[in-house]
Amino acid sequence: MIICGIETSCDDTSIGFVKNGKEILSNVIFSQNYAHNHFSGVVPEIASREHLKNIDKVYIEALNKANINEKDIDIIGVTSYPGLIGSLVIGVNFAKGLSFKLKKPLIPVNHLIAHIYSAFLFQEFNFPVLALLISGGHTAILKMKNFIDFEILGKTFDDSVGEAFDKIAKHFELGYPGGPIIDKISTFGNPETYNFPLTLNEDKYNLNFSFSGLKTAVIYFRNKYINKDSNFSNVNNLLLNDDKLNNSIKESLLKYINHQNYLRKKGILNDNENLFDIISSFQNTVIKILINKLDLALNIYNDINTIIVAGGVSANSYLRNKLQEFCKSKNKKLIIPPLSLCTDNGAMVAGITYEYYKILKDNNFLFFNDLKINFNACAKIEELKRGSF
Ligand code: KG4
Ligand code: ZN
């Protein structure tokens, strides 16, 4: 069974084809970063227009890469919530048109659960699981009995974790999206230089998150949070003269050293403040917060042995290492999708569509074919009608 998955919830136009919920035939992702970079964040109206401009090209490319004809498609799945409403509408309407044209059923998909399915595409797992979902739009911990029966144990009160990365990058004029750049710069800094606040960390039963206080602390940090035991790293200039370091790394280091000088001239950094240490300490703090919350959740639900981490921020290299260490120490199985499946993509939508299809079929849902049009895009989960997945 070949499923077409369509994803346009934010700023990636993506279509993937997946066979029987497991075999990825193609997964074309057209990133709009070039269109939003100038604004250091996603501009919803621009995102919708870009989806509109590119979705048919992405569809054709995905068909070609999968080496299939559109008549081979058995079912279509589309992200219908949550996300930017204008962006979702483009994908949903494209999917409805395709469903009419091909006379194939169409299934609406929950974007958050699709992210979690991306881990399953990589490696099958048994339920129950604890899932940490960390993306540009959402941050949550879920306890899942299966892909439709789950409980949200905690979520962010304000910024999502990806948003915190993007806003810190914006403050230091590093470009958009901020996560990958912060990931890279952090490797040149000392993560223990600053003890930024571990937000919402006191209550042993609180699994919610808050990142806006941390963001403000980093932006107005000056030397307030300096860790007395740590030295500022002065390694950056030394590294440039290290023969063992490869040229492309040196090039990127030099670029950021120049950027640091520019920030100092502009007064965004004081002369004694090291951009690399600040960024690296910020990233380290975010990771401590995420792992502390996982630890809390495991203390409460200690019979759960598998942890899934998904969403764009799960691409972070330092986080991936720290999660491996943490899960090993707790004797838990950790599954994180490969980098190609961490950010928004059509394959994860196609994959979860297969799960939904099996459930609908097993329950003899006679209205299955009516699913073609009987739903709409929805920005927030809370606004969904009862009875949706
Ligand atoms: O899941 P995603 O592609 O889109 C949403 O559903 O929101 O996540 C995008 C987010 C952005 O905020 C981006 O900065 C972040 O994922 N991100 C990262 C990394 N790669 C992407 N954050 C930290 N480290 C990374 N390597
Ligand atoms: Zn996403």
Side-chain angles (χ1 to χ4, degrees):
M1 170 165 289
I2 292 181
I3 304 199
C4 169
I6 300 172
E7 163 60 48
T8 63
S9 67
C10 191
D11 62 339
D12 291 305
T13 316
S14 180
I15 297 188
F17 289 99
V18 172
K19 198 168 173 183
N20 299 332
K22 278 309 288 175
E23 192 190 335
I24 301 176
L25 304 179
S26 69
N27 192 21
V28 175
I29 304 172
F30 186 80
S31 162
Q32 301 178 0
N33 287 347
Y34 66 91
H36 303 285
N37 198 342
H38 174 69
F39 303 96
S40 304
V42 178
V43 183
E45 176 65 19
I46 294 179
S48 313
R49 287 170 190 238
E50 287 291 318
H51 286 308
L52 195 57
K53 213 158 68 187
N54 299 311
I55 193 161
D56 48 349
K57 291 177 212 133
V58 170
Y59 174 63
I60 301 293
E61 192 183 334
L63 276 174
N64 289 341
K65 286 209 165 132
N67 203 13
I68 56 170
N69 185 291
E70 64 179 1
K71 293 201 179 71
D72 300 327
I73 299 172
D74 295 297
I75 301 182
I76 300 151
V78 62
T79 298
S80 71
Y81 70 98
L84 300 172
I85 191 72
S87 292
L88 289 166
V89 162
I90 308 293
V92 166
N93 284 340
F94 184 85
K96 284 184 179 181
L98 194 62
S99 163
F100 270 114
K101 178 185 173 199
L102 302 178
K103 300 192 175 38
K104 298 291 173 175
L106 171 61
I107 298 182
V109 162
N110 175 336
H111 179 72
L112 309 187
I113 305 303
H115 266 303
I116 293 162
Y117 194 92
S118 62
F120 196 76
L121 269 175
F122 168 60
Q123 189 181 337
E124 282 189 32
F125 50 78
N126 293 324
F127 288 98
V129 300
L130 274 178
L132 176 66
L133 178 74
I134 40 179
S135 74
H138 299 89
T139 302
I141 295 193
L142 298 89
K143 181 162 78 84
M144 303 183 73
K145 280 195 200 154
N146 56 48
F147 283 113
I148 57 163
D149 188 355
F150 55 86
E151 193 187 336
I152 298 181
L153 304 175
K155 58 183 180 175
T156 181
F157 284 144
D158 38 60
D159 291 349
S160 73
V161 57
E163 210 174 341
F165 273 97
D166 295 338
K167 285 178 176 167
I168 291 298
K170 179 176 182 178
H171 176 75
F172 291 106
E173 301 185 22
L174 293 168
Y176 174 84
I181 305 163
I182 287 180
D183 195 346
K184 198 192 245 174
I185 295 185
S186 296
T187 58
F188 300 121
N190 174 357
E192 302 296 342
T193 313
Y194 294 98
N195 283 329
F196 290 124
L198 294 167
T199 43
L200 285 189
N201 198 44
E202 310 75 34
D203 180 350
K204 292 282 163 275
Y205 297 96
N206 190 343
L207 292 173
N208 292 308
F209 301 86
S210 165
F211 290 103
S212 77
L214 169 63
K215 177 190 68 189
T216 309
V218 175
I219 291 175
Y220 295 105
F221 81 105
R222 294 306 163 190
N223 285 328
K224 195 163 144 205
Y225 299 103
I226 185 82
N227 181 352
K228 299 281 179 297
D229 300 330
S230 137
N231 293 318
F232 282 100
S233 53
N234 281 319
V235 290
N236 306 135
N237 288 315
L238 295 176
L239 271 177
L240 279 181
N241 298 319
D242 184 345
D243 290 340
K244 283 184 234 91
L245 205 66
N246 91 36
N247 280 344
S248 86
I249 296 181
K250 275 188 188 168
E251 235 171 72
S252 103
L253 180 56
L254 188 61
K255 183 172 120 199
Y256 291 119
I257 289 175
N258 288 336
H259 188 69
Q260 177 172 257
N261 291 336
Y262 159 81
L263 293 174
R264 283 177 180 158
K265 270 197 202 118
K266 234 185 146 185
I268 293 174
L269 281 179
N270 284 337
D271 284 350
N272 64 345
E273 289 165 354
N274 180 313
L275 173 71
F276 302 86
D277 291 340
I278 297 164
I279 294 292
S280 169
S281 299
F282 159 71
Q283 177 180 273
N284 193 26
T285 308
V286 169
I287 291 169
K288 280 183 187 163
I289 293 171
L290 295 175
I291 291 184
N292 284 354
K293 292 292 173 184
L294 263 184
D295 198 18
L296 272 189
L298 281 176
N299 286 343
I300 303 169
Y301 303 101
N302 54 16
D303 53 329
I304 298 187
N305 290 316
T306 304
I307 296 179
I308 311 296
V309 182
V313 180
S314 65
N316 186 276
S317 54
Y318 198 56
L319 172 66
R320 292 169 88 93
N321 288 340
K322 289 286 172 190
L323 282 169
Q324 296 288 0
E325 278 171 26
F326 169 74
C327 288
K328 201 167 168 205
S329 74
K330 296 278 166 182
N331 205 13
K332 302 286 176 190
K333 183 173 179 179
L334 171 70
I335 305 179
I336 318 181
L339 295 186
S340 58
L341 293 174
C342 282
T343 49
D344 292 347
N345 67 86
M348 70 185 190
V349 178
I352 189 69
T353 300
Y354 185 66
E355 285 298 311
Y356 288 169
Y357 157 74
K358 280 194 299 187
I359 293 161
L360 286 165
K361 200 167 133 272
D362 290 350
N363 288 293
N364 285 324
F365 271 73
L366 294 174
F367 63 84
F368 185 55
N369 280 321
D370 290 344
L371 280 172
K372 265 192 219 153
I373 50 163
N374 200 12
F375 69 91
N376 257 317
C378 189
K380 293 200 167 117
I381 291 191
E382 295 78 10
E383 290 164 5
L384 271 184
K385 277 193 250 142
R386 269 166 158 272
S388 304
F389 287 114

